[in-house]
Amino acid sequence: MFTTEPARLPSRPGGPRREAGDRPPGTAGAAVPAGRTLTDWFRHGLALDGGAEALRVGSTAVDYTRLDAAARALAGTVVAAVPGGRPRRVGLLASRTVTAYAGLLAAQFAGAAVVPLHPGFPADRTARMITAAGLDALIVDERGAAVLPELAGVLDGVPVVGEPGGEPLEQPLPTTPDDIAYILFTSGSTGTPKGVPVLHRNVDAYLRFVHGRYGFHSGDVFSQTFDLTFDLAMFDLFTGWGSGGTVVSVPPTAYASLERFVAEQGITVWFSAPSLVSLLRRRPRGLPAGSMPSLRWSLFCGEPLLAHDAREWGAAAPGSVVENLYGPTELTISCSVHRWDPVTSPSSCVNDVVSIGRLHPGMRALLHEPTEDGDGELCVTGDQMFPGYLDPADDEGRFLEHGGERWYRTGDLVRRLPGDAFAYLGRRDHQVKIHGVRVELAEVEWALRRVEGVKEAVAVAVDGELTAFLLGERRPQAALAEDLAAFLPRALVPRRFVQVEEFPLNANRKIDRKALTARAAAADR
């Protein structure tokens, strides 16, 4: 679909690159009316400057006009292939290629909800997602096309589009704020994929808040680190495109020399999972102070942000503001935020975990089954809350009816802090009973990080016993257990300590706790 066009750095097509702090009139901070769809957000960036660079993937640079044309061409092919010419749900089986990004927009332009699927996932899992979503069409890139034979049984009658083959749409088909923008799948405790349909009005409420908070503008260059099956990728794309900025796909190979990549690409807005900080720190040269001066915003989400990671990243990107974002997919990307301050923030940390801060405007919280200490399960309602799971049976136990309203139960345990903020304590399913004592795994990990020689730690529970996976200096298990007893009751000291070179990470560079739990269980067999 695209010919390879070397990315022109640091200039951008249509004119010279603006400095990160420069906000030219008409290209930043413009008032955004409520009720926009994802198509509207992209086309706002297109209207600012069609010749500006919308996307970089490797050596390929694509401007807004070309990306819009590619998406309309794919959308036209999808519409022509679907009986009735109006698909409801379009799958996207693709990796982070230019075709994938154009395909995501094409689904929107066709008036459909996009359903991102990962070519690297087990075929059985992907097949279950396709069946649950009820796809009307499927867009694939080269990698997605390669796995189609394994999915033949669930794609009977579903048109598959890899290249444009018909007339492009002159204009995107209309959608409304109450239409579904995307459907993402999460795994429950059983591993069964649960479909999460998110409405355009949910995403619009979110985007209006973050654009207003951060003042994104057309001179900004946004990292894109998350797989498209993860809702945090929607932040990367539609904050970037909604401001007329440039979205840069970050390949896994970039992390070895991330500072050089950030500088060469001129990235100003960084967004990733916090595990990246630990990964960079373990390199021979570590994470040098002042090594990423181009960043003006450094945002983290997807897992707990540790205080020492926030502090170290802030030193490496001294011109940026570090923020901790929190929120499950069901509450649309993120629903609360804390701005890190190296002087005041440590006092609000619990177990070295940075506060998740205050909820966004339009969102409200209550604590379910609070303890005497004021801790409880965080329940949230408001503009960003999704309407319910794709399969209504999955709603059971996930919502709370209170005060005539429906609240989403996040499964996260929190503590109220002054100023309507919250401290994150851990997952309800990470609260385990060991030898009759109930404990948060986050508390065990906090204690492990205080032990001499331990740099990072993850604790998992299998059959009522704890296993600790450690990064750092190799020490005898007896010595580790003895030192840990100074911070934890003896009953909570892990039975086994496993030294590892690195923690397994999933596609979004989050620590893969399921893999570590499986490893601990296998060791007991």
Side-chain angles (χ1 to χ4, degrees), residues 145-197:
V147 300
L148 288 176
E150 300 176 74
L151 303 171
V154 293
L155 290 174
D156 186 31
V158 177
V160 176
V161 174
E163 295 285 341
E167 288 294 319
L169 294 183
E170 291 188 11
Q171 293 293 330
L173 297 182
T175 49
T176 73
D178 287 320
D179 288 331
I180 298 173
Y182 55 81
I183 299 172
L184 299 177
F185 284 86
T186 62
S187 290
S189 58
T190 63
T192 301
K194 292 189 297 185
V196 181

Short mmCIF file of all heavy atoms in Angstrom, two decimals, residues 145-197:
data_model
loop_
_atom_site.label_atom_id
_atom_site.label_comp_id
_atom_site.label_asym_id
_atom_site.label_seq_id
_atom_site.Cartn_x
_atom_site.Cartn_y
_atom_site.Cartn_z
N ALA A 145 -2.03 -11.75 7.52
CA ALA A 145 -2.42 -12.66 6.43
C ALA A 145 -1.77 -14.02 6.61
O ALA A 145 -2.36 -15.05 6.23
CB ALA A 145 -2.02 -12.05 5.09
N ALA A 146 -0.58 -14.06 7.21
CA ALA A 146 0.14 -15.33 7.36
C ALA A 146 -0.55 -16.29 8.32
O ALA A 146 -0.34 -17.50 8.24
CB ALA A 146 1.57 -15.05 7.85
N VAL A 147 -1.37 -15.77 9.23
CA VAL A 147 -2.03 -16.67 10.20
C VAL A 147 -3.48 -16.97 9.81
O VAL A 147 -4.18 -17.67 10.54
CB VAL A 147 -1.97 -16.08 11.62
CG1 VAL A 147 -0.53 -15.88 12.06
CG2 VAL A 147 -2.75 -14.77 11.72
N LEU A 148 -3.93 -16.46 8.68
CA LEU A 148 -5.31 -16.70 8.26
C LEU A 148 -5.66 -18.19 8.12
O LEU A 148 -6.78 -18.58 8.48
CB LEU A 148 -5.60 -15.97 6.94
CG LEU A 148 -5.71 -14.45 7.03
CD1 LEU A 148 -5.89 -13.85 5.64
CD2 LEU A 148 -6.86 -14.04 7.95
N PRO A 149 -4.75 -19.05 7.60
CA PRO A 149 -5.12 -20.47 7.50
C PRO A 149 -5.53 -21.10 8.82
O PRO A 149 -6.39 -21.99 8.86
CB PRO A 149 -3.85 -21.12 6.93
CG PRO A 149 -3.19 -20.01 6.16
CD PRO A 149 -3.44 -18.77 6.97
N GLU A 150 -4.95 -20.63 9.93
CA GLU A 150 -5.29 -21.18 11.24
C GLU A 150 -6.65 -20.70 11.72
O GLU A 150 -7.20 -21.24 12.69
CB GLU A 150 -4.22 -20.79 12.26
CG GLU A 150 -2.82 -21.29 11.94
CD GLU A 150 -1.81 -20.77 12.94
OE1 GLU A 150 -1.81 -21.29 14.08
OE2 GLU A 150 -1.04 -19.85 12.60
N LEU A 151 -7.19 -19.67 11.08
CA LEU A 151 -8.46 -19.08 11.51
C LEU A 151 -9.59 -19.34 10.54
O LEU A 151 -10.68 -18.79 10.69
CB LEU A 151 -8.28 -17.56 11.69
CG LEU A 151 -7.19 -17.12 12.67
CD1 LEU A 151 -6.98 -15.61 12.58
CD2 LEU A 151 -7.56 -17.52 14.10
N ALA A 152 -9.34 -20.18 9.56
CA ALA A 152 -10.31 -20.39 8.48
C ALA A 152 -11.67 -20.82 9.02
O ALA A 152 -12.72 -20.44 8.49
CB ALA A 152 -9.78 -21.43 7.50
N GLY A 153 -11.69 -21.58 10.10
CA GLY A 153 -12.95 -22.10 10.61
C GLY A 153 -13.89 -21.06 11.15
O GLY A 153 -15.10 -21.28 11.22
N VAL A 154 -13.36 -19.88 11.55
CA VAL A 154 -14.23 -18.84 12.12
C VAL A 154 -14.39 -17.65 11.17
O VAL A 154 -15.05 -16.67 11.52
CB VAL A 154 -13.69 -18.35 13.48
CG1 VAL A 154 -13.78 -19.46 14.51
CG2 VAL A 154 -12.28 -17.82 13.36
N LEU A 155 -13.78 -17.72 9.99
CA LEU A 155 -13.84 -16.61 9.05
C LEU A 155 -14.71 -16.91 7.84
O LEU A 155 -14.72 -16.13 6.88
CB LEU A 155 -12.43 -16.22 8.58
CG LEU A 155 -11.53 -15.54 9.63
CD1 LEU A 155 -10.14 -15.34 9.09
CD2 LEU A 155 -12.14 -14.22 10.09
N ASP A 156 -15.44 -18.01 7.91
CA ASP A 156 -16.31 -18.37 6.79
C ASP A 156 -17.34 -17.26 6.56
O ASP A 156 -18.10 -16.90 7.46
CB ASP A 156 -17.02 -19.69 7.08
CG ASP A 156 -17.82 -20.19 5.88
OD1 ASP A 156 -17.42 -19.91 4.74
OD2 ASP A 156 -18.86 -20.83 6.11
N GLY A 157 -17.33 -16.67 5.37
CA GLY A 157 -18.27 -15.61 5.04
C GLY A 157 -17.83 -14.23 5.47
O GLY A 157 -18.55 -13.25 5.21
N VAL A 158 -16.67 -14.12 6.12
CA VAL A 158 -16.16 -12.81 6.55
C VAL A 158 -15.18 -12.29 5.51
O VAL A 158 -14.13 -12.91 5.29
CB VAL A 158 -15.46 -12.91 7.93
CG1 VAL A 158 -14.88 -11.55 8.33
CG2 VAL A 158 -16.44 -13.41 8.99
N PRO A 159 -15.45 -11.17 4.83
CA PRO A 159 -14.51 -10.64 3.84
C PRO A 159 -13.19 -10.25 4.50
O PRO A 159 -13.18 -9.65 5.58
CB PRO A 159 -15.22 -9.40 3.29
CG PRO A 159 -16.65 -9.54 3.68
CD PRO A 159 -16.67 -10.36 4.94
N VAL A 160 -12.09 -10.61 3.85
CA VAL A 160 -10.76 -10.27 4.35
C VAL A 160 -10.13 -9.27 3.38
O VAL A 160 -10.06 -9.53 2.18
CB VAL A 160 -9.86 -11.52 4.49
CG1 VAL A 160 -8.46 -11.13 4.92
CG2 VAL A 160 -10.48 -12.49 5.49
N VAL A 161 -9.66 -8.15 3.92
CA VAL A 161 -9.10 -7.07 3.10
C VAL A 161 -7.65 -6.86 3.49
O VAL A 161 -7.34 -6.61 4.66
CB VAL A 161 -9.90 -5.76 3.30
CG1 VAL A 161 -9.23 -4.61 2.56
CG2 VAL A 161 -11.33 -5.93 2.84
N GLY A 162 -6.76 -6.98 2.51
CA GLY A 162 -5.35 -6.72 2.74
C GLY A 162 -4.85 -5.52 1.98
O GLY A 162 -3.92 -4.84 2.41
N GLU A 163 -5.46 -5.25 0.84
CA GLU A 163 -5.10 -4.11 0.00
C GLU A 163 -6.38 -3.46 -0.52
O GLU A 163 -7.40 -4.13 -0.67
CB GLU A 163 -4.25 -4.57 -1.20
CG GLU A 163 -2.89 -5.15 -0.81
CD GLU A 163 -1.90 -4.06 -0.41
OE1 GLU A 163 -2.14 -2.88 -0.76
OE2 GLU A 163 -0.89 -4.41 0.24
N PRO A 164 -6.32 -2.16 -0.82
CA PRO A 164 -7.50 -1.52 -1.42
C PRO A 164 -7.83 -2.17 -2.76
O PRO A 164 -6.94 -2.47 -3.55
CB PRO A 164 -7.06 -0.07 -1.61
CG PRO A 164 -5.90 0.11 -0.70
CD PRO A 164 -5.22 -1.22 -0.61
N GLY A 165 -9.13 -2.42 -3.00
CA GLY A 165 -9.51 -3.05 -4.25
C GLY A 165 -10.75 -2.46 -4.86
O GLY A 165 -11.32 -3.02 -5.79
N GLY A 166 -11.17 -1.31 -4.36
CA GLY A 166 -12.37 -0.66 -4.88
C GLY A 166 -12.25 0.84 -4.83
O GLY A 166 -11.15 1.38 -4.62
N GLU A 167 -13.37 1.49 -4.99
CA GLU A 167 -13.37 2.95 -4.95
C GLU A 167 -13.20 3.44 -3.52
O GLU A 167 -13.90 2.98 -2.61
CB GLU A 167 -14.69 3.49 -5.52
CG GLU A 167 -14.82 3.34 -7.02
CD GLU A 167 -13.81 4.20 -7.76
OE1 GLU A 167 -13.57 5.36 -7.34
OE2 GLU A 167 -13.22 3.70 -8.74
N PRO A 168 -12.28 4.38 -3.29
CA PRO A 168 -12.16 4.95 -1.95
C PRO A 168 -13.43 5.70 -1.55
O PRO A 168 -14.16 6.21 -2.41
CB PRO A 168 -10.99 5.92 -2.07
CG PRO A 168 -10.27 5.54 -3.33
CD PRO A 168 -11.31 4.95 -4.24
N LEU A 169 -13.70 5.73 -0.28
CA LEU A 169 -14.79 6.58 0.20
C LEU A 169 -14.43 8.04 -0.03
O LEU A 169 -13.30 8.45 0.25
CB LEU A 169 -15.04 6.35 1.69
CG LEU A 169 -15.55 4.98 2.15
CD1 LEU A 169 -15.80 5.01 3.66
CD2 LEU A 169 -16.82 4.59 1.42
N GLU A 170 -15.39 8.81 -0.52
CA GLU A 170 -15.12 10.24 -0.65
C GLU A 170 -15.04 10.89 0.72
O GLU A 170 -14.22 11.79 0.95
CB GLU A 170 -16.21 10.91 -1.49
CG GLU A 170 -16.19 10.51 -2.96
CD GLU A 170 -17.16 11.33 -3.77
OE1 GLU A 170 -17.70 12.34 -3.25
OE2 GLU A 170 -17.38 10.98 -4.95
N GLN A 171 -15.89 10.45 1.63
CA GLN A 171 -15.90 10.94 2.99
C GLN A 171 -16.18 9.76 3.93
O GLN A 171 -16.86 8.81 3.53
CB GLN A 171 -16.97 12.01 3.20
CG GLN A 171 -16.73 13.31 2.45
CD GLN A 171 -15.52 14.05 2.99
OE1 GLN A 171 -15.19 13.95 4.18
NE2 GLN A 171 -14.84 14.79 2.11
N PRO A 172 -15.69 9.80 5.14
CA PRO A 172 -16.01 8.74 6.09
C PRO A 172 -17.52 8.66 6.32
O PRO A 172 -18.23 9.67 6.30
CB PRO A 172 -15.29 9.18 7.37
CG PRO A 172 -14.18 10.07 6.91
CD PRO A 172 -14.73 10.78 5.70
N LEU A 173 -18.00 7.44 6.54
CA LEU A 173 -19.41 7.25 6.88
C LEU A 173 -19.66 7.80 8.29
O LEU A 173 -18.79 7.74 9.16
CB LEU A 173 -19.78 5.77 6.82
CG LEU A 173 -19.65 5.11 5.44
CD1 LEU A 173 -20.09 3.65 5.52
CD2 LEU A 173 -20.44 5.85 4.38
N PRO A 174 -20.83 8.36 8.51
CA PRO A 174 -21.10 9.00 9.80
C PRO A 174 -21.24 8.00 10.94
O PRO A 174 -21.75 6.89 10.76
CB PRO A 174 -22.40 9.74 9.55
CG PRO A 174 -23.07 8.99 8.44
CD PRO A 174 -21.96 8.49 7.57
N THR A 175 -20.78 8.41 12.11
CA THR A 175 -21.01 7.66 13.34
C THR A 175 -21.47 8.65 14.40
O THR A 175 -21.30 9.86 14.26
CB THR A 175 -19.74 6.95 13.82
OG1 THR A 175 -18.63 7.87 13.81
CG2 THR A 175 -19.40 5.76 12.95
N THR A 176 -22.03 8.15 15.47
CA THR A 176 -22.56 9.01 16.53
C THR A 176 -21.79 8.76 17.82
O THR A 176 -21.13 7.72 17.98
CB THR A 176 -24.05 8.75 16.77
OG1 THR A 176 -24.19 7.48 17.46
CG2 THR A 176 -24.83 8.70 15.46
N PRO A 177 -21.90 9.68 18.77
CA PRO A 177 -21.20 9.48 20.05
C PRO A 177 -21.62 8.21 20.78
O PRO A 177 -20.84 7.67 21.57
CB PRO A 177 -21.60 10.73 20.85
CG PRO A 177 -21.84 11.77 19.81
CD PRO A 177 -22.48 11.03 18.67
N ASP A 178 -22.82 7.71 20.52
CA ASP A 178 -23.29 6.51 21.22
C ASP A 178 -22.96 5.22 20.48
O ASP A 178 -23.31 4.13 20.94
CB ASP A 178 -24.80 6.59 21.47
CG ASP A 178 -25.14 7.58 22.57
OD1 ASP A 178 -24.40 7.62 23.56
OD2 ASP A 178 -26.12 8.32 22.42
N ASP A 179 -22.28 5.32 19.34
CA ASP A 179 -21.80 4.13 18.64
C ASP A 179 -20.54 3.60 19.32
O ASP A 179 -19.81 4.35 20.00
CB ASP A 179 -21.49 4.44 17.17
CG ASP A 179 -22.76 4.66 16.35
OD1 ASP A 179 -23.80 4.08 16.69
OD2 ASP A 179 -22.69 5.42 15.35
N ILE A 180 -20.25 2.32 19.12
CA ILE A 180 -19.03 1.72 19.68
C ILE A 180 -17.83 2.16 18.84
O ILE A 180 -17.84 2.03 17.61
CB ILE A 180 -19.13 0.19 19.70
CG1 ILE A 180 -20.29 -0.26 20.59
CG2 ILE A 180 -17.83 -0.44 20.19
CD1 ILE A 180 -20.57 -1.75 20.53
N ALA A 181 -16.80 2.68 19.50
CA ALA A 181 -15.58 3.08 18.81
C ALA A 181 -14.65 1.90 18.60
O ALA A 181 -14.09 1.71 17.51
CB ALA A 181 -14.86 4.18 19.60
N TYR A 182 -14.45 1.09 19.65
CA TYR A 182 -13.57 -0.08 19.55
C TYR A 182 -14.00 -1.12 20.56
O TYR A 182 -14.68 -0.82 21.55
CB TYR A 182 -12.10 0.29 19.73
CG TYR A 182 -11.76 1.03 21.01
CD1 TYR A 182 -11.59 0.36 22.21
CD2 TYR A 182 -11.55 2.41 21.01
CE1 TYR A 182 -11.25 1.03 23.39
CE2 TYR A 182 -11.22 3.10 22.16
CZ TYR A 182 -11.07 2.41 23.35
OH TYR A 182 -10.75 3.07 24.51
N ILE A 183 -13.61 -2.34 20.28
CA ILE A 183 -13.83 -3.46 21.20
C ILE A 183 -12.47 -4.10 21.48
O ILE A 183 -11.78 -4.53 20.55
CB ILE A 183 -14.79 -4.50 20.60
CG1 ILE A 183 -16.16 -3.88 20.31
CG2 ILE A 183 -14.95 -5.69 21.55
CD1 ILE A 183 -17.10 -4.80 19.54
N LEU A 184 -12.10 -4.12 22.73
CA LEU A 184 -10.85 -4.75 23.15
C LEU A 184 -11.17 -5.94 24.04
O LEU A 184 -12.23 -5.98 24.67
CB LEU A 184 -9.96 -3.76 23.90
CG LEU A 184 -9.53 -2.52 23.10
CD1 LEU A 184 -8.72 -1.59 23.98
CD2 LEU A 184 -8.72 -2.93 21.88
N PHE A 185 -10.26 -6.89 24.07
CA PHE A 185 -10.49 -8.09 24.86
C PHE A 185 -9.47 -8.17 25.99
O PHE A 185 -8.27 -7.98 25.79
CB PHE A 185 -10.39 -9.34 23.98
CG PHE A 185 -11.60 -9.55 23.13
CD1 PHE A 185 -11.70 -8.94 21.88
CD2 PHE A 185 -12.66 -10.34 23.57
CE1 PHE A 185 -12.82 -9.12 21.09
CE2 PHE A 185 -13.78 -10.53 22.79
CZ PHE A 185 -13.87 -9.91 21.54
N THR A 186 -9.99 -8.41 27.18
CA THR A 186 -9.14 -8.63 28.35
C THR A 186 -9.34 -10.07 28.79
O THR A 186 -10.30 -10.73 28.40
CB THR A 186 -9.51 -7.69 29.49
OG1 THR A 186 -10.85 -7.96 29.91
CG2 THR A 186 -9.41 -6.24 29.05
N SER A 187 -8.44 -10.56 29.64
CA SER A 187 -8.56 -11.93 30.17
C SER A 187 -9.00 -11.89 31.61
O SER A 187 -8.46 -11.12 32.41
CB SER A 187 -7.22 -12.66 30.07
OG SER A 187 -6.91 -12.93 28.73
N GLY A 188 -9.99 -12.68 31.93
CA GLY A 188 -10.38 -12.84 33.32
C GLY A 188 -9.47 -13.83 34.01
O GLY A 188 -8.48 -14.29 33.45
N SER A 189 -9.81 -14.16 35.23
CA SER A 189 -8.97 -15.10 35.99
C SER A 189 -8.93 -16.47 35.32
O SER A 189 -8.00 -17.24 35.51
CB SER A 189 -9.50 -15.23 37.42
OG SER A 189 -10.86 -15.66 37.40
N THR A 190 -9.96 -16.78 34.51
CA THR A 190 -9.98 -18.07 33.83
C THR A 190 -9.23 -18.03 32.50
O THR A 190 -9.04 -19.06 31.86
CB THR A 190 -11.43 -18.49 33.55
OG1 THR A 190 -12.03 -17.53 32.66
CG2 THR A 190 -12.25 -18.55 34.83
N GLY A 191 -8.85 -16.83 32.07
CA GLY A 191 -8.18 -16.69 30.79
C GLY A 191 -9.13 -16.56 29.62
O GLY A 191 -8.72 -16.47 28.48
N THR A 192 -10.45 -16.58 29.90
CA THR A 192 -11.44 -16.43 28.83
C THR A 192 -11.49 -14.97 28.39
O THR A 192 -11.69 -14.09 29.24
CB THR A 192 -12.83 -16.88 29.31
OG1 THR A 192 -12.75 -18.24 29.72
CG2 THR A 192 -13.85 -16.73 28.20
N PRO A 193 -11.32 -14.66 27.11
CA PRO A 193 -11.35 -13.26 26.67
C PRO A 193 -12.71 -12.62 26.92
O PRO A 193 -13.75 -13.22 26.64
CB PRO A 193 -11.06 -13.36 25.16
CG PRO A 193 -10.44 -14.69 24.96
CD PRO A 193 -11.04 -15.58 26.01
N LYS A 194 -12.69 -11.43 27.50
CA LYS A 194 -13.91 -10.66 27.73
C LYS A 194 -13.88 -9.43 26.85
O LYS A 194 -12.94 -8.65 26.90
CB LYS A 194 -14.04 -10.25 29.20
CG LYS A 194 -14.27 -11.41 30.14
CD LYS A 194 -14.61 -10.93 31.54
CE LYS A 194 -13.47 -10.15 32.16
NZ LYS A 194 -13.74 -9.79 33.55
N GLY A 195 -14.92 -9.25 26.04
CA GLY A 195 -14.98 -8.11 25.14
C GLY A 195 -15.42 -6.85 25.85
O GLY A 195 -16.42 -6.85 26.57
N VAL A 196 -14.66 -5.78 25.65
CA VAL A 196 -14.95 -4.48 26.27
C VAL A 196 -15.29 -3.49 25.16
O VAL A 196 -14.39 -2.96 24.49
CB VAL A 196 -13.76 -3.96 27.09
CG1 VAL A 196 -14.10 -2.63 27.75
CG2 VAL A 196 -13.33 -4.99 28.13
N PRO A 197 -16.58 -3.22 24.93
CA PRO A 197 -16.93 -2.22 23.93
C PRO A 197 -16.89 -0.81 24.54
O PRO A 197 -17.53 -0.56 25.57
CB PRO A 197 -18.36 -2.61 23.53
CG PRO A 197 -18.91 -3.35 24.69
CD PRO A 197 -17.76 -3.90 25.48
#
